[in-house]
Amino acid sequence: MMYMKQIVLTFLATLCALGVYPQFTQDGYYRIRNVGSGRYITVTDNKGSVNVGATSADLGAVKLFKSFENVVSNPGTVLYVNEVNGLYRFESQGTDTHKIIGYDLKLKKKTDGSYLAYQEESFMLMYLCDARKENTEEGVLSTRSDATNYRDWEIIPLSSAGDNYFGVTSEFTYNGAYYSTLYASFPFTFASSGMTAYYVSQVVDGIAVVKEVPGNAVPASVPVLIKAASAEATNNRLNIAANTATKPSDNKLGGVYFHNTSKAHNNLTPYNPETMRVLGMTSSGKLGFVKADIENLPANKAYLNVPAGTPDELELMTEAEYETYKNRTFDVVATAGKGGTVAGAGSYKVNTKATLTASPEEGYHFTGWSDGTVANPYSFSVTGAVSLTAQFAPNEYLITYVLDGDRYSTSFCLFGQALTALEAPTKEGYTFSGWSEIPATMPAHDVIVTGSFTVNSYTLTYMIDGQVYATESVEYGAPIVLLDAPVKDGFVFDGWTEAPATMPARDVVVTAHYTSGIGGIVTDHSLVDVYTLQGVRIKSQVSVENLANELPRGLYIVNGCKLLVK
């Protein structure tokens, strides 16, 4: 508790000293530096307290830094001194001494021009001091110090032309310029040349559109993006002074004053990756507002408010650049593969709809686009150059072979495929007459090919006594009707050799068989015996001359020869 009291008194002493310093003649912007330690007051939080009567104080909202590099670009080191009823109120980054500790401060000028800052109550005095005498970068604001000059404070006016200036340190370099964001409770203009202040007026089409702050006069508490010609703070100086500029109503930037992680003064603003983007470089190497891997927003910086669903990266463009960007055109190139044509290619304005239509030629069908899309027509929003190929494939058609009125064979062939007729089929007793005309290649329709057989004719040859008696041409399968019995003197025709009932698929030869007549069976004997074909004797010692008269019509055996009686 005593330690905290020391911090409060030290801070109060510093503020009081500011009120009577010769350079401090009116309300204005200052830095406050401890005479003993050389450290500057820096406001890092908006919470604290002072109890003068109990000599206790919580001054953790204020830190002390020695190096000018740590304060030159820190808005928390800039304090606006405002006289209130004879006391002094010190304002910085949206808070002030009265809000932090509940008091305004008194200042007492010393002969060396420094000041004591204090507050009193019931005859109890508490002076602000730097309690850390070691030569370290960071001090401790307290109400107790055994070194007198550690209670003494310099009140130094801000001056863009002097050593106590405020300069912007760049965060990113892009296209030869330097960029950073700033969120300060003070108004300012630019003292250095080559500096411009912007704010984001809209987020559209994946673009953060920036607008220049009118006259580069930035009102108090307006988060901005600053473009500078140098990376060094000394070359990027601000004029910190009141101006009549008004806050832009369309500013999409937000800001955070504090990022304090100390236990008693934890003051953090969580970063929401869905609705916030911070200044950074895009994956394509351009300046923009991007999604960051952080837990909390940094102090004194601007961030961009975006709706959920916004792209992770937003490229920066001025209004003029965006006007050109939103009206830019892209070529949609569409080519057709073999078997078709395509329509709809051309130059399209960004974010307008292009429609490509693929038309297959005869014998082909559309199979899809080179990007894998199968829709036809294919419509899409143009966001960049497009090159697509319409792909086609030949159709399949049926070729049917019909043989003698019956389907013989079927197969599918691609349009344009070379056609070769089937091999000639075979059929017993017939000769294949050939297929009807076949196209050289498969046309864009089904094809029927017809074929037929012609019945063959074969030769029926009649042989008598080893000589060709007659020949006939008989169609395959036709009934075979043999010729009548040929006459042969002295013999009786006994028949032809056995022949098929119908003509086979080959030539046929039949041979005549004869039986001798009566004259042919006469022997030296005038009398003969007559037998049936079964070997039964029916006549004995019959005169040969009387055989024809004595025997009924029929076939008999006489002298070992067959005898036909008609």
Side-chain angles (χ1 to χ4, degrees):
M1 295 297 291
M2 295 301 295
Y3 178 77
M4 297 304 293
K5 295 174 185 177
Q6 291 175 336
I7 298 175
V8 174
L9 292 177
T10 304
F11 181 68
L12 295 174
T14 304
L15 298 179
C16 294
L18 179 60
V20 294
Y21 190 74
Q23 290 178 296
F24 176 59
T25 58
Q26 59 182 11
D27 296 351
Y29 292 95
Y30 300 84
R31 282 198 181 101
I32 301 175
R33 183 172 61 192
N34 187 268
V35 174
S37 66
R39 299 186 182 104
Y40 294 87
I41 283 181
T42 304
V43 178
T44 63
D45 190 17
N46 56 4
K47 299 184 292 292
S49 64
V50 168
N51 189 329
V52 178
T55 65
S56 64
D58 175 5
L59 299 179
V62 179
K63 294 185 178 181
L64 302 174
F65 295 102
K66 188 171 186 177
S67 172
F68 190 69
E69 292 180 358
N70 285 334
V71 301
V72 64
S73 299
N74 189 336
T77 66
V78 177
L79 289 87
Y80 181 76
V81 180
N82 181 21
E83 185 178 356
V84 180
N85 298 324
L87 299 176
Y88 295 92
R89 183 171 296 171
F90 300 90
E91 302 172 1
S92 182
Q93 294 302 84
T95 189
D96 57 52
T97 50
H98 197 275
K99 292 177 181 177
I100 295 174
I101 62 176
Y103 289 93
D104 292 317
L105 301 178
K106 296 181 179 182
L107 296 177
K108 181 179 180 180
K109 181 181 179 182
K110 297 183 66 175
T111 56
D112 62 0
S114 63
Y115 295 86
L116 296 174
Y118 66 99
Q119 186 53 267
E120 60 181 332
E121 184 178 311
S122 302
F123 305 104
M124 296 295 295
L125 288 174
M126 297 182 72
Y127 290 89
L128 296 184
C129 65
D130 186 350
R132 182 168 290 167
K133 293 182 291 184
E134 297 84 1
N135 186 25
T136 57
E137 173 61 26
E138 189 170 348
V140 177
L141 187 63
S142 177
T143 57
R144 292 182 179 274
S145 176
D146 56 3
T148 303
N149 63 345
Y150 278 70
R151 298 191 302 175
D152 299 343
W153 301 90
E154 296 178 280
I155 311 298
I156 311 171
L158 267 293
S159 172
S160 61
D163 294 334
N164 188 37
Y165 64 91
F166 186 97
V168 177
T169 300
S170 68
E171 300 174 74
F172 298 96
T173 303
Y174 179 64
N175 282 349
Y178 302 87
Y179 295 86
S180 61
T181 63
L182 182 65
Y183 184 46
S185 62
F186 51 78
F188 63 89
T189 56
F190 295 121
S192 298
S193 61
M195 300 183 73
T196 307
Y198 298 94
Y199 66 92
V200 177
S201 61
Q202 59 177 323
V203 175
V204 60
D205 298 334
I207 303 297
V209 181
V210 296
K211 183 184 294 186
E212 188 173 334
V213 174
N216 281 324
V218 180
S221 301
V222 172
V224 292
L225 169 68
I226 295 177
K227 176 183 178 182
S230 172
E232 304 299 327
T234 187
N235 298 321
N236 302 326
R237 300 191 182 200
L238 305 185
N239 283 320
I240 299 176
N243 59 48
T244 59
T246 58
K247 293 184 178 181
S249 60
D250 54 345
N251 191 1
K252 305 299 181 183
L253 295 176
V256 170
Y257 286 133
F258 307 117
H259 182 105
N260 196 319
T261 59
S262 65
K263 184 176 181 180
H265 287 269
N266 187 278
N267 192 337
L268 300 170
T269 301
Y271 169 72
N272 185 343
E274 294 301 316
T275 60
M276 296 176 178
R277 300 290 181 269
V278 297
L279 188 65
M281 303 302 295
T282 68
S283 56
S284 61
K286 297 181 179 180
L287 186 70
F289 280 90
V290 301
K291 184 178 287 188
D293 185 19
I294 57 176
E295 292 185 6
N296 300 291
L297 292 170
N300 309 315
K301 294 295 181 181
Y303 66 91
L304 179 60
N305 292 295
V306 297
T310 296
D312 291 355
E313 299 180 348
L314 300 170
E315 182 183 344
L316 286 183
M317 289 187 185
T318 64
E319 288 187 314
E321 289 171 336
Y322 177 67
E323 191 65 24
T324 300
Y325 176 80
K326 73 177 183 179
N327 291 310
R328 69 197 186 282
T329 60
F330 292 103
D331 288 336
V332 174
V333 178
T335 56
K338 181 181 178 181
T341 60
V342 64
S347 182
Y348 287 84
K349 184 179 176 181
V350 67
N351 294 325
T352 58
K353 185 175 76 172
T355 299
L356 301 180
T357 302
S359 300
E361 296 172 351
E362 184 183 47
Y364 287 86
H365 63 278
F366 174 71
T367 60
W369 302 94
S370 54
D371 66 352
T373 302
V374 296
N376 187 33
Y378 179 20
S379 296
F380 52 90
S381 179
V382 177
T383 58
V386 175
S387 180
L388 292 170
T389 300
Q391 300 167 332
F392 303 90
N395 298 334
E396 282 188 331
Y397 297 97
L398 183 66
I399 182 168
T400 302
Y401 289 85
V402 176
L403 186 59
D404 286 340
D406 296 324
R407 186 168 60 184
Y408 174 69
S409 173
T410 60
S411 62
F412 285 96
C413 296
L414 295 175
F415 172 75
Q417 179 179 337
L419 296 181
T420 302
L422 294 179
E423 292 183 0
T426 59
K427 183 178 180 180
E428 186 181 45
Y430 292 83
T431 297
F432 182 62
S433 59
W435 298 110
S436 60
E437 186 178 354
I438 300 176
T441 59
M442 193 68 187
H445 57 76
D446 295 338
V447 172
I448 297 178
V449 180
T450 59
S452 61
F453 286 101
T454 301
V455 63
N456 296 336
S457 292
Y458 298 93
T459 301
L460 175 58
T461 302
Y462 295 86
M463 301 293 292
I464 297 178
D465 294 335
Q467 300 294 319
V468 175
Y469 170 71
T471 60
E472 291 180 334
S473 180
V474 182
E475 290 185 349
Y476 169 78
I480 294 179
V481 179
L482 299 178
L483 296 176
D484 291 337
V487 176
K488 183 179 178 183
D489 292 340
F491 290 87
V492 176
F493 181 68
D494 197 22
W496 299 102
T497 54
E498 186 177 357
T502 59
M503 194 65 183
R506 57 181 172 79
D507 294 337
V508 174
V509 177
V510 293
T511 302
H513 288 275
Y514 289 90
T515 301
S516 300
I518 295 177
I521 61 175
V522 175
T523 64
D524 294 339
H525 305 88
S526 59
L527 299 176
V528 294
D529 293 332
V530 179
Y531 295 87
T532 66
L533 294 178
Q534 289 75 28
V536 178
R537 187 171 61 184
I538 59 173
K539 294 286 184 179
S540 297
Q541 298 299 303
V542 178
S543 171
V544 172
E545 292 81 358
N546 295 326
L547 284 178
N549 298 322
E550 294 185 14
L551 293 174
R553 298 173 67 178
L555 187 63
Y556 302 94
I557 301 297
V558 178
N559 278 350
C561 296
K562 291 179 180 180
L563 175 65
L564 178 64
V565 178
K566 297 183 177 180

